[in-house]
Amino acid sequence: EVQENIAYYRENARIIREGLEKAGFTVFGGVDSPYVWMKVPQGMSSWEFFDELLEKAHVVGTPGSGFGLNGEGYFRLTSFNTKENTEKRWPGLSLFSDHKVFLKSSVLSLAE
């Protein structure tokens, strides 16, 4: 049962990781971990990125600065949700020309 749970959340992490990569983000992790780290768009702090996602898409993640000074400029998402929510809410990621991220009304992650 434990191995099944691990495989389940790894699959969710893969979906998130590959979606971010396809959208052009620099991504780390999510292979042997339920956490996917991404570099925030240039010119935004990790908290500004957090605010943007929360306001525009109701997405909750963790600003990298919460992990210390070296975490600034990064953002952490988690795969702890159902596969169905992860798959149906993933589409909709697009970049504005000013490099700010906007997620259409679908929710990227794991806020439910």
Side-chain angles (χ1 to χ4, degrees):
E1 185 178 329
V2 171
Q3 292 304 317
E4 288 176 23
N5 285 337
I6 291 170
Y8 186 86
Y9 293 119
R10 278 185 179 167
E11 175 64 9
N12 285 351
R14 181 195 64 76
I15 293 166
I16 295 167
R17 186 183 67 249
E18 289 179 3
L20 287 169
E21 289 171 340
K22 286 178 186 173
F25 287 99
T26 302
V27 182
F28 310 92
V31 176
D32 293 320
S33 166
Y35 302 108
V36 179
W37 287 84
M38 61 180 290
K39 186 139 181 62
V40 301
Q42 189 172 358
M44 294 183 82
S45 73
S46 60
W47 275 105
E48 289 169 333
F49 187 73
F50 171 86
D51 289 339
E52 185 87 6
L53 289 179
L54 185 60
E55 179 183 322
K56 304 275 186 183
H58 312 284
V59 171
V60 176
T62 307
S65 61
F67 296 92
L69 293 176
N70 291 327
E72 181 53 59
Y74 297 90
F75 196 79
R76 187 182 81 171
L77 297 164
T78 179
S79 66
F80 292 123
N81 201 334
T82 64
K83 184 175 180 184
E84 295 77 21
N85 282 344
T86 302
E87 287 176 331
K88 78 180 177 182
R89 298 179 192 290
W90 184 253
L93 185 64
S94 62
L95 296 174
F96 286 148
S97 59
D98 67 357
H99 302 289
K100 288 187 178 178
V101 170
F102 175 72
L103 290 153
K104 296 178 183 158
S105 61
S106 58
V107 175
L108 161 77
S109 141
L110 318 166
E112 288 186 4

